[in-house]
Amino acid sequence: MTDVQETALRELLRIAPVIDELGARFEAAGEQIALVGGPVRDAMLGRLQNDLDFTTSARPEVTEKLVEGWADAVWDMGRAFGTIGCRKGPWQVEITTYRSEQYDADSRKPSVDYGDSLNGDLGRRDFTVNAMAVAVPGNEFEDPYGGLVDLANGVLRTPGRPEDSFSDDPLRMMRAARFAAQLGFTVAPEVVEAMTSMAARIEIVSAERIRDELVKLVTSPYPRRGLTLLVQTGLADHVLPELPALALERDEHHRHKDVYEHTLTVLEQTMDLEDRLGGGPDFVARFAALMHDVGKPRTRRFAEDGTVTFHHHDVVGAKITRKRMKALRFSNDEIAAVTHLVELHLRFHGYGSGEWTDSAVRRYVRDAGDQLERLHVLTRADCTTRNKRKAERLSRTYDDLEQRIERIAEEEGRAAVRPDLDGNQIMELLGLGPGPEVGAAYKHLLELRLEHGPMSEEDAKAALLAWHADRTDRRDS
């Protein structure tokens, strides 16, 4: 028995109470059922999670009857695709009738036809490493397409011709990149060739499905592998064209950093700093790293001395990022967070060697808002210079900025920069109702707070009354 098989056996023993009971129920009803796909692959890698996928000869209505009374909860949202879901203790279970699905040439949604054999079902799956099964009860291992060998060699291949597989479901091309990023696998040459020749077919897939694959890719352990494959095959031209656009043409007369390689390095350095954000993959931080320089192609200008400038690429990049994320149907909160970071990623470079006043530091914190920690990470990750002395100087300077932020926060006892009077106090003091005048007063007090730090309530009231009196005099004159 190989090490991979021994690992899988240990994992299967761990879930034996679930798969044995389920297998016995289906066998007694004269139906076949097998653990299939990702869970089998992950069992062999020693990383099986609580999501279990099964395939069965039973039709959905039969499956639903067989799990009722056994499962803690049952749902049928996937019935149209032959899937019944249920929960048993900590396990989330999906059971799908043997099937074959394919896209029409101009359809975004697959049509589903039920199959009649386990091998037929495995043959329609995306990659050989996902086309293995364990028939239950009895734990018989089924591997008709050599997935175990490919798993051991770390290779992604399709069970049949990749052109047929990608024609059936073009999203599988994105999944190839995602699995390369998740598992660290290489992609077989014939699969890369098919992805390259069929890249445009990805456009029939819905934005939401593409977005979900992109999120999984970016939050994987090896996102550079997947992103590089998207660019290499031309898929990125259709799903994230801002990324290949970063590979700016260079010539012997003009000097600038390789923006594409710089971006991938910033992404990896962001990953190295994620423990500052609580650990684990942080999509917002990673995607901001990936998009932070997308404004450079549009803002590149050549100077006579051979240098290249990218003035305002932060602002332009934020607009480009917002447009792309909207097209991919990201949530408003995710769009706001990522674009905010892209727009602010250069702000630190105005700090010089620490010349900022305390009011400038307060404004930095105020402008960053709830993205301050991610901005710390992105700014540090954005330093990719090979000049060790320069890198150390930038790191020390940012250390100084963070220390000043902490000191000012501690001295002023604030978690966020707010005026010394709230809206209700402003209205009561000035005898106003809700309206734009209250907003103007609030903004004035906020500017005073940013410029001078906190004031006592008495001083804040005096400053507000003086401002209001001057404003009234100017309006009446």
Side-chain angles (χ1 to χ4, degrees):
M1 183 179 294
T2 67
D3 291 342
V4 170
Q5 289 171 312
E6 288 179 355
T7 300
L9 181 60
R10 287 195 300 271
E11 292 288 89
L12 291 174
L13 287 174
R14 184 167 65 86
I15 62 172
V18 174
I19 61 177
D20 288 350
E21 289 177 9
L22 201 56
R25 278 178 167 259
F26 277 73
E27 186 178 51
E31 302 286 0
Q32 299 173 336
I33 188 169
L35 185 70
V36 70
V40 178
R41 178 199 70 222
D42 289 344
M44 293 182 172
L45 294 172
R47 42 173 269 179
L48 182 62
Q49 305 297 313
N50 283 6
D51 295 329
L52 303 178
D53 296 329
F54 292 85
T55 186
T56 180
S57 58
R59 295 296 190 261
E61 61 274 13
V62 175
T63 294
E64 190 171 24
K65 290 179 181 178
L66 289 174
V67 297
E68 285 179 351
W70 173 78
D72 300 324
V74 180
W75 52 90
D76 67 349
M77 292 176 293
R79 181 185 292 275
F81 298 99
T83 301
I84 299 296
C86 63
R87 176 175 55 81
K88 178 68 171 178
W91 308 101
Q92 300 291 325
V93 177
E94 286 194 348
I95 306 171
T96 302
T97 304
Y98 296 153
R99 66 186 185 183
S100 82
E101 65 184 31
Q102 61 183 10
Y103 278 80
D104 293 331
D106 56 355
S107 172
R108 288 176 180 267
K109 296 182 179 180
S111 61
V112 177
D113 294 319
Y114 295 135
D116 56 10
S117 71
L118 175 59
N119 278 6
D121 182 89
L122 295 179
R124 56 152 290 277
R125 293 181 178 268
D126 52 7
F127 303 105
T128 60
V129 296
N130 295 329
M132 299 179 287
V134 177
V136 292
N139 292 344
E140 290 185 31
F141 179 58
E142 302 286 345
D143 181 23
Y145 300 100
L148 183 60
V149 173
D150 287 340
L151 190 70
N153 292 330
V155 176
L156 286 174
R157 289 191 306 108
T158 54
R161 285 184 355 113
E163 292 82 2
D164 295 336
S165 180
F166 298 154
S167 180
D168 285 349
D169 185 353
L171 189 68
R172 290 174 175 173
M173 296 185 286
M174 286 286 295
R175 286 168 63 84
R178 189 247 292 185
F179 282 125
Q182 280 186 333
L183 304 174
F185 283 12
T186 58
V187 181
E190 69 273 13
V191 176
V192 174
E193 183 178 347
M195 291 170 67
T196 304
S197 64
M198 301 178 67
R201 187 158 167 75
I202 195 69
E203 292 187 0
I204 73 165
V205 180
S206 70
E208 291 83 357
R209 295 184 76 203
I210 290 172
R211 175 202 63 208
D212 291 347
E213 286 298 325
L214 189 61
V215 170
K216 292 174 184 177
L217 189 162
V218 170
T219 54
S220 293
Y222 314 102
R224 179 188 281 262
R225 281 178 178 260
L227 293 168
T228 300
L229 184 62
L230 291 182
V231 172
Q232 174 189 352
T233 58
L235 274 166
D237 293 333
H238 303 278
V239 301
L240 194 65
E242 296 78 11
L243 184 60
L246 293 175
L248 301 174
E249 292 183 9
R250 307 175 73 186
D251 62 55
E252 59 183 310
H253 303 295
H254 297 97
R255 304 184 300 275
H256 65 81
K257 188 179 296 184
D258 185 323
V259 184
Y260 172 71
E261 285 298 325
H262 163 76
T263 294
L264 295 180
T265 300
V266 173
L267 170 60
E268 291 177 328
Q269 292 185 170
T270 295
M271 294 166 60
D272 293 339
L273 295 169
E274 277 179 329
D275 58 330
R276 295 180 53 133
L277 304 174
D282 188 299
F283 173 75
V284 168
R286 292 191 185 191
F287 203 62
L290 194 61
M291 303 296 284
H292 79 284
D293 274 347
V294 295
K296 282 190 170 180
R298 291 193 188 177
T299 58
R300 182 170 62 161
R301 300 292 182 271
F302 300 108
E304 292 182 0
D305 64 358
T307 59
V308 178
T309 63
F310 303 97
H311 295 313
H312 306 302
H313 78 268
D314 46 348
V315 177
V316 173
K319 292 178 180 178
I320 292 172
T321 299
R322 180 178 299 277
K323 183 177 180 180
R324 176 55 50 198
M325 293 186 75
K326 280 187 175 181
L328 289 170
R329 305 290 194 272
F330 279 97
S331 71
N332 289 336
D333 287 345
E334 288 171 314
I335 294 172
V338 173
T339 55
H340 195 48
L341 289 167
V342 172
E343 188 169 11
L344 291 178
H345 82 273
L346 290 180
R347 186 70 62 87
F348 160 71
H349 295 285
Y351 188 68
S353 301
E355 293 87 356
W356 279 5
T357 62
D358 282 355
S359 65
V361 175
R362 293 189 195 99
R363 292 175 193 277
Y364 188 78
V365 173
R366 188 273 308 268
D367 291 348
D370 60 1
Q371 298 303 316
L372 181 61
E373 287 303 319
R374 287 190 176 117
L375 183 58
H376 289 334
V377 167
L378 176 58
T379 305
R380 289 181 179 275
D382 196 22
C383 175
T384 62
T385 178
R386 295 180 181 178
N387 185 321
K388 186 177 181 181
R389 182 175 297 178
K390 181 179 179 182
E392 289 175 350
R393 176 175 56 78
L394 286 170
S395 180
R396 285 195 305 270
T397 305
Y398 206 85
D399 287 343
D400 177 69
L401 176 58
E402 287 200 67
Q403 289 164 8
R404 288 185 64 189
I405 290 171
E406 291 176 7
R407 175 179 59 78
I408 292 172
E410 184 176 346
E411 289 175 355
E412 300 182 3
R414 57 171 177 77
V417 180
R418 295 187 178 89
D420 296 289
L421 301 176
D422 62 25
N424 290 329
Q425 290 172 302
I426 292 171
M427 287 189 289
E428 181 180 352
L429 184 63
L430 300 182
L432 299 171
E437 189 73 5
V438 177
Y442 188 93
K443 184 177 180 181
H444 174 69
L445 288 176
L446 179 58
E447 288 298 318
L448 290 178
R449 175 67 183 268
L450 289 168
E451 192 65 33
H452 304 294
M455 294 186 287
S456 67
E457 184 175 337
E458 182 179 338
D459 288 343
K461 288 181 176 179
L464 180 61
L465 288 170
W467 170 83
H468 186 62
D470 179 64
R471 187 176 173 90
T472 303
D473 288 344
R474 282 188 284 109
R475 199 160 39 215
D476 294 342
S477 61

